[in-house]
Amino acid sequence: MSEYVMLIVGVLAGLAVGYFIGQSLMKKKVQDHEGIAKKEAEKIIKEAEQTGESIKRDKKLEAKEHFLKLKSDFEEDSSKKKNIILQNEQKVKQMQNQAAQMLEKNKREQSEIQSLKDKLGHQLEIASKRKEEAEKMHQQQVEQLESISGLSAEQAKEQLINALRAEAESKASAIVKQSIEEAKLSATKEAKKIVIQTIQRTAAEQAIENCVSVFNIESDEIKGKIIGREGRNIRALEAATGAEIIVDDTPEAIVISSFDPVRREVTRLSLHRLVQDGRIHPARIEEVVNKTRKEINNEIIEIGERTVLDLGIHGLHPELIKLVGRMRFRSSYGQNLLQHSREVAKLCATMAAEMGFNVKLAKRAGLLHDIGKVYQEESDLPHAILGMELAKKYKEHTDVCNAIGAHHDEIEMTSLISPIIQVCDAISGSRPGARREMMNSYVQRLQDLEDLALAFEGVEKCYAIQAGRELRVIVDAENVNDEKAGMLSFNISQKIEKEMQYPGQIKVTVIREMRSVAYAK
């Protein structure tokens, strides 16, 4: 037990001694580390001070260099500005010198102008005196001439003016006649060639229609079925078609009357189907008429498509194609409008090819030139202007639109094909037998033609012959000489062009006949 206690005491004593030794050793080690750290810190502080001094010196050098650079730039800029100021001062001095010279020059010029004014005033006074003297001398001469000739100055002037006017009119007539003859020599040959070739190369069909159609029937029994009980069938047919049906004593025939060819055709075809079917009553009539009207509309479209295909015209709007088809059922002065338009299109194409113009546009304009005549809606516009508006609406070429609108001179011609359309329209309409006019309008046109020529001074008689295509004017031989006769024919033709509407052309012939009569007794 005692040994065990002694051992424990020995161990505790050893531990205490080891602890004190370890503390001392640790303290010494810490002191050693502190010394080292202090030395390191002193070394770092010293290096930092050295580095700071170096940076300070560098910054001073940089600041000094920057200052020197700024100073140099400032001095250079100041030097430039100083030079500019010196130059401006020199320019100002030069301008001042120039202004002084100009002022001196102006003074000299003013003095010279004043002297010239003085001289001019003196000369004006002399000229005024001389003018007064000249007027006095002129008045004396005029009085002497009046006393010698027995005429006043105004009378002499009037005689001189009349003589000069007569001479001028004579020369003008000669010049006009010479110009016309030269134009005829240079242009008539080629124009005739083109027109004749165009007409000869175009095969024209003649189709004359009127306002009535005749529907043939086999017997009067069928006529009674068409009339119906108390006329109900014929009234239903007239109400459905809008055409007038005339049933008279004419055997085996019924007359269909309407100004609209489409209505007449619808009525004719409807009657044909009703007669074939045998069932004729108001309900059946209305059904057949509606069906026929649809078929006619389809036929109109087919006719338009076939026409543009035959003529080789592409890209035409469907509405314009439909209007072209409607031309088949419309006539103008007895001439079928579709045949007329096809003929004009072919003439235009031929003439445009001869003259080197656009053939496609000319043919297109020729086909559409009368499109305004078949427009269904009512309008107060002339058919040429209405056709032009329709062409513009459906995006046709501007040359085509102008040709349509100008073919009756309602608007100014602005394209080269416009006069071609006008000429070909006149060629197609003026062919013998192509058109028929109403008797009253025909007689009135001839009367107006004669009255127009009789209004000219010196005309004694006037006769319209050859269906109004030639006007023969007989003048007073004593008052109208040969030169005035040529001028008179020209003036009459110009007035006819301005004031009258006519197909083709009118030849104006002035006849001057001198008769001397003596009696032997």
Side-chain angles (χ1 to χ4, degrees):
M1 185 69 179
S2 62
E3 289 179 359
Y4 183 71
V5 171
M6 287 298 288
L7 182 58
I8 292 171
V9 171
V11 172
L12 290 172
L15 289 170
V17 172
Y19 173 74
F20 283 114
I21 291 172
Q23 286 291 329
S24 62
L25 290 173
M26 183 64 70
K27 185 176 181 181
K28 186 177 179 182
K29 189 175 182 180
V30 169
Q31 288 176 355
D32 292 339
H33 280 294
E34 287 178 354
I36 294 170
K38 188 175 181 180
K39 289 180 181 179
E40 288 293 334
E42 290 176 354
K43 185 178 179 182
I44 290 170
I45 290 169
K46 189 175 180 180
E47 290 178 355
E49 288 177 351
Q50 291 176 357
T51 303
E53 289 294 332
S54 176
I55 292 170
K56 186 177 179 181
R57 287 196 301 271
D58 293 340
K59 292 295 181 184
K60 285 182 177 179
L61 289 173
E62 289 179 3
K64 189 174 182 180
E65 289 176 357
H66 184 64
F67 172 74
L68 292 174
K69 186 178 180 181
L70 290 174
K71 184 179 179 182
S72 175
D73 292 342
F74 176 75
E75 289 177 351
E76 185 178 356
D77 190 27
S78 299
S79 177
K80 288 181 179 179
K81 290 182 177 179
K82 186 176 180 181
N83 292 332
I84 292 171
I85 290 170
L86 292 174
Q87 291 176 1
N88 289 337
E89 288 179 353
Q90 290 178 358
K91 289 181 180 179
V92 169
K93 289 180 180 179
Q94 291 177 359
M95 292 175 67
Q96 288 177 350
N97 293 332
Q98 291 177 358
Q101 293 175 1
M102 291 177 66
L103 184 62
E104 185 66 25
K105 185 178 180 181
N106 287 336
K107 288 181 179 179
R108 291 197 301 270
E109 289 178 352
Q110 286 179 359
S111 62
E112 292 175 358
I113 290 171
Q114 187 62 36
S115 62
L116 287 172
K117 283 182 178 179
D118 296 338
K119 292 180 181 179
L120 184 60
H122 181 64
Q123 291 177 357
L124 286 173
E125 291 178 358
I126 296 173
S128 178
K129 292 179 180 179
R130 290 179 178 177
K131 184 179 179 181
E132 292 177 358
E133 294 175 358
E135 288 178 353
K136 290 180 180 178
M137 292 177 65
H138 177 70
Q139 186 64 28
Q140 291 175 359
Q141 292 175 355
V142 169
E143 291 176 355
Q144 290 177 0
L145 289 173
E146 288 178 354
S147 62
I148 293 171
S149 62
L151 296 173
S152 65
E154 294 298 328
Q155 292 174 343
K157 285 180 182 179
E158 186 175 355
Q159 288 186 2
L160 179 61
I161 290 171
N162 291 333
L164 291 174
R165 182 184 291 114
E167 184 179 358
E169 288 179 354
S170 176
K171 289 184 178 180
S173 176
I175 291 171
V176 169
K177 187 175 181 181
Q178 183 180 359
S179 300
I180 292 173
E181 292 298 327
E182 290 177 356
K184 285 181 180 179
L185 289 174
S186 61
T188 301
K189 185 177 180 181
E190 188 64 24
K192 283 183 179 179
K193 176 183 175 183
I194 292 173
V195 173
I196 290 171
Q197 287 180 354
T198 302
I199 295 173
Q200 288 177 345
R201 289 171 57 185
T202 304
E205 298 181 11
Q206 297 184 11
I208 298 178
E209 296 183 355
N210 46 35
C211 291
V212 296
S213 298
V214 178
F215 178 72
N216 296 316
I217 56 178
E218 296 178 356
S219 64
D220 291 339
E221 181 182 354
I222 298 175
K223 185 184 293 187
K225 288 183 179 181
I226 293 173
I227 295 172
R229 184 180 299 174
E230 297 179 356
R232 64 174 187 172
N233 290 344
I234 198 169
R235 286 198 301 271
L237 189 59
E238 288 179 343
T241 59
E244 182 182 1
I245 300 175
I246 303 171
V247 181
D248 52 17
D249 295 333
T250 305
E252 299 180 354
I254 293 176
V255 177
I256 304 168
S257 175
S258 176
F259 71 93
D260 189 345
V262 177
R263 295 181 187 175
R264 294 203 312 272
E265 186 67 12
V266 170
T267 307
R268 189 186 68 80
L269 291 178
S270 299
L271 276 173
H272 179 70
R273 290 181 176 178
L274 288 169
V275 169
Q276 281 186 336
D277 186 31
R279 295 177 296 168
I280 305 176
H281 53 83
R284 180 62 178 164
I285 288 171
E286 187 175 352
E287 179 185 351
V288 171
V289 168
N290 290 333
K291 185 177 179 180
T292 305
R293 185 176 286 113
K294 290 180 181 178
E295 291 180 358
I296 289 292
N297 290 332
N298 293 332
E299 184 182 355
I300 286 172
I301 296 173
E302 291 178 2
I303 291 171
E305 292 175 347
R306 189 163 57 250
T307 299
V308 297
L309 183 63
D310 291 344
L311 293 175
I313 296 173
H314 304 287
L316 204 63
H317 194 277
E319 289 297 325
L320 292 179
I321 292 176
K322 188 174 180 180
L323 291 174
V324 170
R326 287 187 65 85
M327 289 183 182
R328 168 62 183 82
F329 301 98
R330 174 69 189 268
S331 61
S332 177
Y333 295 103
Q335 185 180 25
N336 183 269
L337 195 58
L338 180 59
Q339 296 299 331
H340 167 65
S341 298
R342 287 171 63 98
E343 183 179 347
V344 171
K346 293 178 181 179
L347 289 168
C348 292
T350 307
M351 193 171 290
E354 292 289 338
M355 301 177 72
F357 295 156
N358 191 319
V359 176
K360 292 182 178 180
L361 289 182
K363 187 186 294 184
R364 203 178 189 98
L367 178 64
L368 300 177
H369 78 284
D370 275 343
I371 203 76
K373 289 184 177 180
V374 293
Y375 191 56
Q376 291 176 297
E377 297 181 10
E378 294 185 1
S379 176
D380 296 332
L381 296 174
H383 76 274
I385 303 299
L386 181 58
M388 180 184 68
E389 296 298 329
L390 288 172
K392 287 181 180 178
K393 179 181 178 181
Y394 297 117
K395 311 299 181 184
E396 285 296 318
H397 196 278
T398 54
D399 289 350
V400 174
C401 296
N402 180 258
I404 294 172
H407 79 276
H408 284 314
D409 294 323
E410 273 90 0
I411 63 171
E412 183 181 358
M413 295 183 181
T414 58
S415 69
L416 294 175
I417 64 173
S418 297
I420 295 179
I421 307 303
Q422 189 179 54
V423 169
C424 293
D425 180 43
I427 291 173
S428 175
S430 61
R431 286 187 297 100
R435 291 187 172 183
R436 292 181 290 115
E437 291 183 288
M438 296 298 292
M439 181 60 68
N440 292 335
S441 62
Y442 169 73
V443 174
Q444 185 63 41
R445 181 167 66 85
L446 298 185
Q447 186 64 44
D448 292 342
L449 190 62
E450 292 181 353
D451 292 341
L452 183 145
L454 288 170
F456 283 85
E457 184 180 356
V459 177
E460 289 186 344
K461 298 177 182 178
C462 182
Y463 303 103
I465 61 175
Q466 295 186 5
R469 301 192 186 282
E470 182 177 354
L471 185 66
R472 292 189 178 177
V473 182
I474 300 174
V475 298
D476 183 5
E478 295 181 357
N479 297 326
V480 180
N481 56 23
D482 291 339
E483 293 179 353
K484 287 184 178 180
M487 178 62 71
L488 184 63
S489 64
F490 177 76
N491 292 336
I492 292 174
S493 64
Q494 293 297 308
K495 191 170 183 180
I496 292 173
E497 289 181 4
K498 292 178 181 178
E499 298 183 5
M500 295 194 66
Q501 295 290 335
Y502 52 92
Q505 64 180 12
I506 297 176
K507 179 182 178 182
V508 179
T509 304
V510 175
I511 300 173
R512 178 177 176 269
E513 183 181 9
M514 174 65 74
R515 293 186 181 184
S516 298
V517 180
Y519 295 94
K521 295 181 180 180

